[in-house]
């Protein structure tokens, strides 16, 4: 068992070919998987990446604090309303200047799905050659855990409270990854930190494919502080999200959909929700609504993977 685990880990380490450009300690909450994500990306892709992003939980670490920097990469901070437009300008400048690098527009779900969605969609339609990564912690975490359009049905946030008049969010989540794939971009994919080899492969694919145009990665990224779980739970939640089909891993390469990992016998979603405080008020009936939404989203992806075979 231990040997098997070691072997699995060594495969992940094979992808870490570059220096970790971050300081040994950074300013995320304890156990926040964002730290693993931001350290992982440059170690896989190389340090010749330029990151641009918006106010969020990632910004203090990526932008630096006071006069200090937490890393050695180039980073441009931008407004939530114009992240993808900003990245477009950067890429065009680097192309004009003959500088060969990879621009990554790195944002939370609040920017990607809501406040900066218009220009994200515009950049995808124009097929701008950069990588857009949305890390999805299902809410506006940095400003106090408000709900976003990717917050799932039933979840407790500070703007969808649980009390006499409210039972958490009463709307279903937006499937942003699918919406982006429907822009017919060269590459769209989902990923998470329990499946690091898969994440590394998708990052490398995006780096290669972005020469042809827009690449979108949607990374499921639990927030221990905002969701009410211990700092040791993040990766377990990623794993459970995949095993229950709450967050299926798939990719769409030139419009051809495939599962990166198809779960043979998916567990009911309550195996995942029972671990998280933001769901602990849900009745069986409410869990059923959430389960139906998960099944609905999954059936769409499944149908898309079948379509791919028909096209071939
Ligand atoms: C146009 C605009 N509206 C609101 C804010 C305030 N604001 C700063 S960070 C933040 C939360 C962003 O949420 P998300 O993008 O999901 O990132 P997270 O904090 O979850 O990492 C908000 C609303 C802002 N900076 N700009
Ligand atoms: S609030 Fe959540 S997403 Fe933000 S740093 Fe803390 S754990 Fe991470
Ligand atoms: Mg967020």
């Amino acid at each position: 068992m231990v040997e098997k685990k070691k072997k699995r880990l060594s495969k992940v380490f094979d992808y870490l070919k570059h220096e970790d450009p971050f300081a040994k300690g950074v300013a995320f909450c304890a156990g926040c998987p964002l730290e693993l994500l931001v350290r992982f990306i440059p170690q896989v892709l190389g340090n010749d990446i330029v990151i641009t992003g918006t106010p969020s939980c990632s910004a203090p670490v990526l932008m630096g604090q006071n006069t200090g920097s937490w890393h050695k990469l180039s980073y441009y901070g931008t407004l939530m309303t114009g992240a993808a437009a900003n990245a477009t300008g950067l890429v065009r400048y680097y192309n004009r200047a003959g500088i060969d690098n990879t621009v990554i527009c790195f944002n939370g779900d609040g920017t990607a799905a809501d406040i900066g969605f218009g220009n994200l969609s515009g950049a995808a339609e124009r097929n701008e050659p950069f990588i857009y990564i949305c890390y999805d912690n299902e809410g506006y975490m940095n400003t106090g855990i408000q709900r976003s359009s990717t917050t799932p049905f039933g979840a407790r946030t500070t703007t969808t409270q649980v009390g006499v008049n409210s039972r958490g969010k009463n709307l279903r989540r937006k499937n942003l990854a699918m919406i982006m794939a429907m822009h017919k971009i060269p590459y769209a994919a989902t990923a998470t930190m329990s499946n690091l080899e898969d994440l590394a492969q998708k990052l490398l694919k995006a780096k290669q494919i972005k020469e042809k145009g827009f690449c979108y990665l949607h990374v499921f990224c639990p927030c221990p502080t905002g969701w009410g779980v211990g700092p040791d739970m993040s990766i377990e939640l990623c794993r459970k999200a995949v095993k229950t089909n709450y967050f299926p891993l798939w990719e769409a390469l030139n419009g051809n959909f495939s599962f990166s990992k198809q779960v043979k016998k998916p567990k009911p979603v309550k195996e995942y929700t029972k671990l998280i405080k933001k769901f602990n008020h849900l009745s069986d009936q409410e869990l059923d609504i959430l389960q139906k939404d998960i099944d609905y989203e999954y059936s769409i992806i499944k149908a898309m993977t079948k379509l791919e075979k028909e096209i071939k």
Side-chain angles (χ1 to χ4, degrees), residues 108-111 135-142 148 150:
D109 49 289
T111 287
Y135 65 91
D136 191 357
N137 51 24
E138 303 184 336
Y140 295 84
M141 295 315 180
N142 195 245
S148 75
T150 66

Side-chain angles (χ1 to χ4, degrees), residues 6-299:
K6 260 193 197 158
K7 233 182 190 171
R8 252 198 349 247
L9 274 179
S10 74
K11 276 195 188 161
V12 175
F13 283 117
D14 287 349
Y15 288 97
L16 305 181
K17 298 215 185 301
H18 305 275
E19 182 199 357
D20 178 358
F22 285 86
K24 296 295 172 213
V26 289
F28 294 117
C29 300
C32 178
L34 251 178
E35 177 167 353
L36 174 57
L37 181 60
V38 298
R39 286 185 191 279
F40 194 72
I41 294 168
Q43 287 185 80
V44 172
L45 292 185
N47 283 209
D48 61 340
I49 55 175
V50 173
I51 305 181
T52 176
T54 62
S56 61
C57 279
S58 61
V61 173
L62 293 176
M63 201 180 304
Q65 281 171 299
N66 303 321
T67 55
S69 174
W70 290 106
H71 61 81
K72 299 181 198 166
L73 303 168
S74 297
Y75 179 79
Y76 292 86
T78 175
L79 299 177
M80 290 181 83
T81 43
N86 193 70
T88 300
L90 283 175
V91 175
R92 290 185 186 184
Y93 163 74
Y94 287 125
N95 282 346
R96 179 67 69 89
I99 297 168
D100 184 18
N101 59 13
T102 300
V103 172
I104 299 180
C105 193
F106 187 82
N107 299 298
D109 49 289
T111 287
D114 301 339
I115 299 175
F117 177 70
N119 63 99
L120 162 60
S121 173
E125 188 214 349
R126 295 190 308 273
N127 204 21
E128 301 289 350
F130 64 87
I131 303 173
Y132 194 109
I133 298 179
C134 168
Y135 65 91
D136 191 357
N137 51 24
E138 303 184 336
Y140 295 84
M141 295 315 180
N142 195 245
T143 38
I145 315 161
Q146 293 88 6
R147 65 75 124 187
S148 75
S149 58
T150 66
T151 304
F153 173 83
R156 179 203 310 254
T157 69
T158 52
T159 48
T160 54
Q161 302 223 2
V162 178
V164 181
N165 297 317
S166 167
R167 298 279 306 162
K169 192 179 175 190
N170 62 359
L171 299 167
R172 295 182 299 168
R173 67 182 180 184
K174 184 189 278 184
N175 190 330
L176 186 61
M178 185 56 82
I179 293 168
M180 293 318 298
M182 289 296 107
H183 281 69
K184 299 160 198 153
I185 50 181
Y187 191 60
T190 63
T192 193
M193 268 73 68
S194 53
N195 295 62
L196 285 173
E197 270 177 75
D198 179 62
L199 173 60
Q201 285 161 9
K202 285 170 175 169
L203 284 168
L204 290 169
K205 263 188 208 170
K207 186 175 179 183
Q208 207 187 14
I209 296 167
K210 70 113 174 68
E211 304 297 332
K212 294 192 199 124
F214 197 87
C215 294
Y216 179 81
L217 275 185
H218 196 97
V219 183
F220 177 72
C221 201
C223 163
T225 305
W227 294 12
V229 296
D232 57 343
M233 281 298 289
S234 299
I235 305 303
E236 179 58 13
L237 292 186
C238 297
R239 202 173 287 125
K240 276 271 161 34
V242 172
K243 286 193 171 157
T244 54
N245 280 341
Y246 179 87
F247 190 82
L249 298 176
W250 56 267
E251 65 180 3
L253 184 62
N254 295 320
N256 289 326
F257 280 71
S258 59
F259 283 108
S260 326
K261 180 178 175 65
Q262 199 159 13
V263 184
K264 283 208 180 90
K265 283 187 187 153
K267 301 245 185 284
V269 76
K270 66 177 172 215
E271 293 292 306
Y272 162 76
T273 54
K274 73 180 183 191
L275 303 172
I276 307 169
K277 201 169 167 195
K278 71 174 175 177
F279 292 118
N280 70 359
H281 57 283
L282 292 185
S283 65
D284 284 350
Q285 217 177 354
E286 288 161 337
L287 276 169
D288 199 41
I289 297 174
L290 183 62
Q291 181 71 61
K292 283 203 170 96
D293 196 37
I294 305 302
D295 295 346
Y296 170 69
E297 289 190 2
Y298 183 78
S299 68

